[in-house]
Amino acid sequence: MKLRFLVGLLLLGLPGFGHAFPFWLNSPSRNNPNDPESPFFGIPTPHKTVNGTPASSPTASFTDTRTESVTDTTTQTPAYSATPTMGASPTTNESFSPTSTMTPSASPTRTGTPTSTSTPTPTFTFTPTSTPTRSFTSTSTSTSTFTYSSTFTATFTPTPTNTYTPTTVPTSSVGATLPYTEYEAENASYTGTLIGPSTTMWVNGGSLATEMAAESSGREAVELTSEGQYVKFTTTKQCNSIVVRYIIPDAPGGGGITATLTCAVSGTVNFSQELNMSSVYSWDYGNIDASTNYNKNPSGGTPFHLYDETHALFGQEVPAGSTITLEKEAGDTAGYYVIDFIDLEDVAAPLTQPANSVSVLSAGATGNGTTDDTSAIQTCIDGAGGKIVWFPQGDYKLSSELNIGAVTLAGAGMWYTTLHQTNGGNTAVLELGLNNDSVTVENMLLQDEVTNRVDSDNSNGLDNMGGTNSVVRNVWIEHTKCGWWCGNGGSTTNNLLVTGCRIRDTYADGINLCNGSSNSTVTQCSLRNNGDDSLAVYSPNSTGENSGDTFSYNTIQCTWRADGMAFYGGSGNNMLNNLVTDTLDQSGILIAQEFGSNNFAGTCDIDNNTLLRTGGDFGGTDYGAIELWADQGALDGAFNFQNGVVTSATYSGLVFQGAGANGATVNGLSIGNSGVDGIEVYSGTSGSALLSNTVVSGSTGLANNSGGAFTINRGSGDVGW
């Protein structure tokens, strides 16, 4: 029997419980959507058109020297000067035309290369430092030949632009359509040390190195330990921003350190900048099963939850074909840097203030990152009078949660507007107080300072119920307990839409729709490095039933505790076209009668999901990539699995467990290269399932350990088991 939480029913109603953990890929063509080993397999690449963008105005100087021989035949006595005129780009040869009848014997040439951090195309006129003058007298037809040289220096300042028009991107076949390209460190050029591959957590007999690998995307990463070691990436698309997933050491006594890592860009543009890194929000010790109040002291046991991320804007465009190097230099003081991958994105310019809005600046907010803007923002929200509350570009420091009713909060973009909760502890960023009303939150980053999981705290990005017809769009959430535990407080959640969001580096769930949340959709989101189920529907029997909720077209990576996606009770909830990769210790998809949940009812459609390197060992129990678990009662209802892909499961691909693990109809599931069995039925399991067109390869096909108590009915097209 599995123990997924310390106390089953006693935890009901406590915010932020559950489970989850994420990771990624080792294909050399990780970002190739045509490579079936890529997590982006089947995902069309987003396209943008970007118009020439030096983000700053560089000045370039060069010297142009030309020598020209001219033969001139004349029958008069002229005295004249020849003045060169030019109007070409400094990257091309330029014509030279004297103001007389001359036939140059060779085209003028120019040597020297401007040094610039952009590729401008200015138009200008050069005036040589001296004007070549030729005078002579002739009383009869004669031929004269002369040679001259002109040297000059030109300085120019281009006018920068920083706008782009994204083209329409079709919906991908699986996972979110993401606006960035991901580059794995192990597939780049590097002089550090390759870590992995391994799926062995330190607590299960591994080491620090195997723990690092098991928590990594693709179960591999690159470690830099010495000055001068680097990881070098070549860009395939234009970009102006970077996200780095990394590990740096904890402090000797716990609590984390801060450090920098040098990021150098070379090619058409050349610059470097320091990336800020921290281990304050990572490194826990001892019992990962505890789920709350983790030990933060290194003496507390083996470590886990090692990774964090940093992100930065470059301030200028980096063309495709450039080189981006992460290098440990003299000023980069962490003992080591483990690089998992980078994301490179071409971020649009900040949004402008919409019509019918009121700016928080008008109420006294500053957005300067140091002044406490809580009171001014709350005043603006309370007095909005139906207008949009507008947050211009800035970092808005908060010392307590913002109380949100029926209002729209709009920022300049998730890269530009930050609501930064600095209080930590039992403090959300946005506390929703809705009674069948709707709220819209869009285009901003919600950031907290959570350094441990405390289930009694409400330190979430968004907290409480979502009302009716609410929308959360293009919101980045990080360093919170949960992204959104959508169920605390009163009221209900119905017809909620969460789309285009990034929920990363949390201590618990990404999004948990619970306590009767219904008819709601989470779609086109990126969830990464979550410390419990990245996406969950939890329908406790003490509240109304969750029904009609859908997770679709989401990309889930490196859940560091519990499952990629999970359903606990409820009726007619769906998982469609999602991509889940590299869970650390539990399933990619879990269907469980657990935590005192309502019985399942109706039909759950679980269609066209791809699971890559999922499953794991939690509390001594092996979890399958897909698991149906009748823990606290039989699985009622129906679970239709259609056209899914399970690749490289840590243990088994499809697992049935518990008395009454009923209701599964599987059609078109492909299970390849599982660590144990393609299909496994645990001892003590009873019930039945129907499997058709289910193909197992690269492992043992079927291990039915139920002693005949669980029946697998075969349809047509089954292969390999």
Side-chain angles (χ1 to χ4, degrees):
M1 177 175 180
K2 302 179 181 177
L3 296 178
R4 309 165 63 74
F5 262 33
L6 285 181
V7 185
L9 299 179
L10 292 180
L11 292 182
L12 292 179
L14 290 181
F17 88 89
H19 23 297
F21 216 102
F23 302 125
W24 272 73
L25 207 59
N26 54 11
S27 167
S29 52
R30 156 109 182 228
N31 301 289
N32 180 359
N34 298 314
D35 178 6
E37 286 296 310
S38 168
F40 298 101
F41 177 56
I43 300 176
T45 301
H47 300 283
K48 308 185 178 115
T49 300
V50 181
N51 300 324
T53 64
S56 58
S57 300
T59 300
S61 300
F62 58 91
T63 301
D64 193 333
T65 303
R66 65 186 65 237
T67 301
E68 183 169 331
S69 297
V70 180
T71 300
D72 193 316
T73 302
T74 179
T75 55
Q76 54 183 327
T77 308
Y80 63 90
S81 299
T83 303
T85 61
M86 292 169 284
S89 165
T91 61
T92 60
N93 290 333
E94 298 155 0
S95 59
F96 177 88
S97 302
T99 56
S100 64
T101 304
M102 296 186 291
T103 303
S105 58
S107 297
T109 60
R110 185 196 62 189
T111 60
T113 302
T115 300
S116 172
T117 57
S118 61
T119 310
T121 309
T123 300
F124 48 84
T125 301
F126 297 82
T127 303
T129 55
S130 61
T131 302
T133 303
R134 177 178 55 136
S135 301
F136 58 88
T137 302
S138 174
T139 57
S140 61
T141 300
S142 64
T143 299
S144 64
T145 301
F146 65 92
T147 300
Y148 61 89
S149 177
S150 179
T151 301
F152 55 91
T153 299
T155 301
F156 60 91
T157 302
T159 301
T161 61
N162 190 27
T163 60
Y164 72 77
T165 303
T167 60
T168 300
V169 179
T171 302
S172 66
S173 61
V174 64
T177 301
L178 300 171
Y180 51 80
T181 302
E182 197 152 280
Y183 301 79
E184 283 284 338
E186 64 268 24
N187 297 329
S189 172
Y190 60 85
T191 58
T193 301
L194 180 67
I195 294 177
S198 178
T199 60
T200 304
M201 297 173 63
W202 195 343
V203 71
N204 295 329
S207 63
L208 178 59
T210 66
E211 180 74 31
M212 288 175 172
E215 294 193 25
S216 298
S217 164
R219 315 299 195 193
E220 292 181 306
V222 174
E223 182 179 25
L224 310 178
T225 57
S226 302
E227 184 178 335
Q229 289 187 331
Y230 63 80
V231 183
K232 188 176 295 185
F233 306 88
T234 301
T235 65
T236 60
K237 299 175 185 175
Q238 180 170 283
C239 64
N240 59 15
S241 70
I242 188 171
V243 175
V244 182
R245 188 166 191 259
Y246 67 88
I247 301 170
I248 60 173
D250 196 3
I257 64 171
T258 59
T260 59
L261 182 64
T262 302
C263 175
V265 177
S266 58
T268 306
V269 297
N270 299 273
F271 64 89
S272 67
Q273 67 186 71
E274 297 297 311
L275 301 178
N276 294 319
M277 295 183 173
S278 171
S279 56
V280 171
Y281 308 101
S282 53
W283 289 91
D284 300 296
Y285 300 88
N287 184 13
I288 192 174
D289 304 347
S291 84
T292 188
N293 289 312
Y294 294 124
N295 194 323
K296 301 295 292 185
N297 193 313
S299 65
T302 57
F304 58 92
H305 179 213
L306 308 181
Y307 272 102
D308 201 358
E309 298 181 11
T310 188
H311 62 269
L313 290 165
F314 287 143
Q316 58 186 293
E317 295 295 330
V318 175
S322 300
T323 298
I324 294 180
T325 303
L326 301 181
E327 182 170 345
K328 179 174 167 52
E329 295 188 348
D332 302 325
T333 56
Y336 58 80
Y337 299 80
V338 175
I339 308 301
D340 192 6
F341 58 74
I342 65 172
D343 293 336
L344 300 179
E345 179 179 356
D346 202 24
V347 179
L351 299 171
T352 57
Q353 183 170 353
N356 192 37
S357 65
V358 55
S359 171
V360 295
L361 301 183
S362 69
T366 64
N368 62 16
T370 57
T371 302
D372 187 345
D373 287 327
T374 309
S375 178
I377 294 172
Q378 192 67 61
T379 297
C380 188
I381 291 171
D382 294 343
K387 292 185 177 181
I388 297 168
V389 177
W390 166 246
F391 293 80
Q393 180 175 357
D395 185 349
Y396 297 88
K397 178 181 177 181
L398 305 178
S399 59
S400 62
E401 60 201 17
L402 297 174
N403 294 297
I404 310 301
V407 69
T408 294
L409 308 183
M414 62 172 64
W415 283 87
Y416 300 110
T417 296
T418 299
L419 303 188
H420 187 181
Q421 180 58 262
T422 60
N423 190 40
N426 189 18
T427 311
V429 182
L430 301 179
E431 188 76 14
L432 305 182
L434 301 171
N435 185 17
N436 297 321
D437 296 320
S438 64
V439 65
T440 297
V441 181
E442 58 187 359
N443 301 314
M444 60 181 61
L445 167 64
L446 306 182
Q447 186 173 5
D448 210 324
E449 296 288 336
V450 175
T451 58
N452 202 344
R453 174 172 176 168
V454 180
D455 279 345
S456 59
D457 285 355
N458 294 333
S459 48
N460 304 320
L462 298 108
D463 196 56
N464 277 351
M465 291 294 199
T468 300
N469 300 324
S470 293
V471 177
V472 177
R473 179 171 42 233
N474 301 331
V475 173
W476 193 334
I477 302 174
E478 68 177 6
H479 295 152
T480 61
K481 184 183 71 174
C482 298
W484 190 355
W485 187 270
C486 188
N488 293 342
S491 184
T492 59
T493 300
N494 188 58
N495 203 35
L496 166 70
L497 174 63
V498 180
T499 183
C501 295
R502 303 176 190 181
I503 302 175
R504 299 174 178 172
D505 307 309
T506 64
Y507 257 94
D509 302 57
I511 296 177
N512 190 310
L513 301 176
C514 70
N515 294 344
S517 299
S518 295
N519 305 310
S520 296
T521 299
V522 180
T523 187
Q524 292 293 340
C525 293
S526 164
L527 299 104
R528 194 158 70 201
N529 206 32
N530 306 121
D532 215 308
D533 298 323
S534 291
L535 291 174
V537 170
Y538 170 44
S539 183
N541 57 23
S542 60
T543 64
E545 182 181 61
N546 287 54
S547 64
D549 294 326
T550 298
F551 300 143
S552 66
Y553 295 103
N554 300 293
T555 295
I556 298 169
Q557 301 170 256
C558 302
T559 309
W560 64 262
R561 185 182 183 277
D563 308 286
M565 297 185 291
F567 287 168
Y568 307 104
S571 174
N573 300 303
N574 308 299
M575 301 176 182
L576 311 173
N577 307 293
N578 300 284
L579 172 66
V580 184
T581 71
D582 297 296
T583 58
L584 179 65
D585 64 0
Q586 291 185 38
S587 301
I589 291 176
L590 175 69
I591 308 297
Q593 189 69 42
E594 192 178 6
F595 304 124
S597 60
N598 285 305
N599 291 339
F600 284 98
T603 299
C604 293
D605 288 326
I606 305 168
D607 299 346
N608 197 37
N609 299 287
T610 294
L611 311 180
L612 180 60
R613 295 182 303 273
T614 59
D617 182 311
F618 183 82
T621 299
D622 299 344
Y623 279 69
I626 298 174
E627 180 145 343
L628 293 95
W629 187 26
D631 178 33
Q632 297 174 345
L635 299 179
D636 299 329
F639 310 98
N640 289 345
F641 291 82
Q642 298 283 335
N643 302 323
V645 176
V646 175
T647 300
S648 300
T650 303
Y651 293 101
S652 294
L654 173 63
V655 171
F656 300 91
Q657 183 180 13
N662 298 304
T665 299
V666 180
N667 183 35
L669 180 64
S670 173
I671 304 173
N673 301 314
S674 298
V676 181
D677 304 304
I679 304 166
E680 183 176 7
V681 181
Y682 279 14
S683 175
T685 300
S686 62
S688 64
L690 171 63
L691 276 63
S692 304
N693 300 304
T694 299
V695 178
V696 175
S697 62
S699 69
T700 302
L702 169 64
N704 190 339
N705 303 306
S706 70
F710 187 88
T711 301
I712 295 182
N713 299 303
R714 294 173 178 266
S716 61
D718 294 324
V719 176
W721 57 280

